[in-house]
Amino acid sequence: SAVISQKPSRDICQRGTSLTIQCQVDSQVTMMFWYRQQPGQSLTLIATANQGSEATYESGFVIDKFPISRPNLTFSTLTVSNMSPEDSSIYLCSVDPGGASYGYTFGSGTRLTVV
Amino acid sequence: QKEVEQDPGPLSVPEGAIVSLNCTYSNSAFQYFMWYRQYSRKGPELLMYTYSSGNKEDGRFTAQVDKSSKYISLFIRDSQPSDSATYLCAMNGPGAQKLVFGQGTRLTINP
């Protein structure tokens, strides 16, 4: 299965600033997904990123707040812009590695605290 | 109503017990069902994947899907302290890349 490296693992940021989270995969994948996991909550899909096209955002998430880049088939970034304490959460990237195993692989997550 | 409902627990059982974790769902189009295990400060790790109805066994873990009742289960036999984690169910339908997750059940196995 694919191995995902996600950076940073954690950060503490001032409100009003932005943080860019990086996700590197050890194999080429068509689709990459960005999730948010708020404390004690389940995973909520933010957007789906395909290489060479604009990311598709889920209801409640907008590009101005969460711009995504997908420059190639192994890398993506998610930026959390103009942060407020409500953005404190764990952010996870995920890929569909394909093949018979199905199921999606997740990175270890970025634990973000906004103060 | 959420598409996927999962009791968040917490659930605490003694070592060696059989653990039953469950999810219900409302979307009859769901055909792919997964269980993920998430340790503290880690990303979710795929445990079991099942297509449509039926049972699947992998070591101490058994996944069951009852599509007629829109109900899925994960059983853990001979539970170990290392099984202490949050367990999330997830599912999607044919042609749908988006996974829908349950809230997750926090499980503690006491030595």
Side-chain angles (χ1 to χ4, degrees):
Chain A
S1 62
V3 176
I4 300 174
S5 174
Q6 188 174 337
K7 294 190 293 187
S9 59
R10 57 170 55 204
D11 208 341
I12 301 174
C13 300
Q14 297 290 324
R15 69 175 66 200
T17 63
S18 297
L19 175 71
T20 295
I21 302 168
Q22 299 180 2
C23 183
Q24 178 76 52
V25 190
D26 69 344
S27 59
Q28 294 184 339
V29 292
T30 303
M31 304 183 78
M32 296 180 75
F33 307 90
W34 287 97
Y35 286 86
R36 182 173 72 183
Q37 187 176 28
Q38 294 179 307
Q41 301 296 316
S42 186
L43 281 72
T44 301
L45 182 64
I46 297 172
T48 301
N50 287 334
Q51 193 268 336
S53 63
E54 292 286 330
T56 302
Y57 289 82
E58 296 296 308
S59 176
F61 298 97
V62 294
I63 187 171
D64 290 346
K65 176 67 175 178
F66 298 101
I68 288 172
S69 78
R70 183 78 200 275
N72 57 53
L73 292 174
T74 63
F75 187 78
S76 179
T77 67
L78 170 76
T79 299
V80 186
S81 304
N82 188 24
M83 288 184 286
S84 66
E86 291 72 33
D87 294 319
S88 297
S89 189
I90 299 172
Y91 293 85
L92 295 144
C93 69
S94 175
V95 302
D96 172 9
S101 64
Y102 207 80
Y104 294 7
T105 303
F106 284 83
S108 57
T110 297
R111 184 178 294 266
L112 170 63
T113 302
V114 183
V115 297
Chain B
Q1 181 189 6
K2 295 180 181 178
E3 274 192 294
V4 179
E5 298 277 0
Q6 183 178 7
D7 187 340
L11 180 62
S12 181
V13 302
E15 182 176 357
I18 296 175
V19 176
S20 173
L21 304 168
N22 311 293
C23 289
T24 59
Y25 63 95
S26 57
N27 189 341
S28 58
F30 288 151
Q31 289 192 9
Y32 303 96
F33 304 92
M34 286 142 268
W35 286 96
Y36 285 85
R37 178 175 62 195
Q38 186 175 24
Y39 290 115
S40 181
R41 302 181 185 279
K42 299 289 186 182
E45 164 196 16
L46 181 66
L47 260 184
M48 302 282 288
Y49 155 66
T50 309
Y51 170 70
S52 193
S53 285
N55 296 355
K56 187 173 185 178
E57 187 173 322
D58 184 1
R60 296 185 294 110
F61 298 89
T62 299
Q64 287 186 351
V65 175
D66 182 349
K67 290 193 69 181
S68 63
S69 302
K70 298 189 180 68
Y71 188 88
I72 71 170
S73 301
L74 177 71
F75 297 96
I76 307 174
R77 293 183 300 279
D78 187 25
S79 56
Q80 305 294 312
S82 58
D83 295 327
S84 299
T86 296
Y87 290 79
L88 300 121
C89 63
M91 53 197 76
N92 66 355
Q97 298 289 344
K98 173 184 173 181
L99 286 181
V100 182
F101 283 85
Q103 188 174 351
T105 300
R106 178 176 287 186
L107 172 67
T108 300
I109 309 297
N110 300 303

